[in-house]
Amino acid sequence: MSYAADSRFVLFATTRDFIRAMQAAERIGLPHRVIAVPVHLRADCGMCLHIDAAEQERLEIVLRQIPIAYEIGL
């Protein structure tokens, strides 16, 4: 599967962190998709949030406030 060059994959080490991040994204109305981690990336959780690059900063602000550990993949 190919993804837009202007998208980001937000990766998490645990399923718990992934769920908390997904709920936070929903609370702030941030458009996202829940997908399996693409094969060119790695995350222990196996799931990630797929977001538009323009939304990255907005999501990172929320994740730092919670706080939740994450990585951004391209």
Side-chain angles (χ1 to χ4, degrees):
M1 177 177 254
S2 64
Y3 298 98
D6 61 345
S7 66
R8 301 289 183 266
F9 304 94
V10 189
L11 311 167
F12 305 93
T14 68
T15 302
R16 183 173 191 271
D17 284 346
F18 163 75
I19 291 170
R20 290 174 63 216
M22 180 181 60
Q23 291 170 335
E26 290 171 356
R27 268 194 312 275
I28 65 170
L30 188 135
H32 66 282
R33 289 180 38 212
V34 172
I35 62 169
V37 174
V39 295
H40 70 280
L41 299 172
R42 175 151 166 69
D44 292 335
C45 169
M47 300 299 289
C48 69
L49 297 179
H50 184 227
I51 62 170
D52 187 76
E55 299 290 354
Q56 180 178 337
E57 183 177 350
R58 188 171 158 216
L59 180 61
E60 287 187 286
I61 289 168
V62 172
L63 296 181
R64 284 192 300 264
Q65 290 173 347
I66 292 176
I68 294 176
Y70 63 92
E71 284 184 48
I72 301 293
L74 303 176

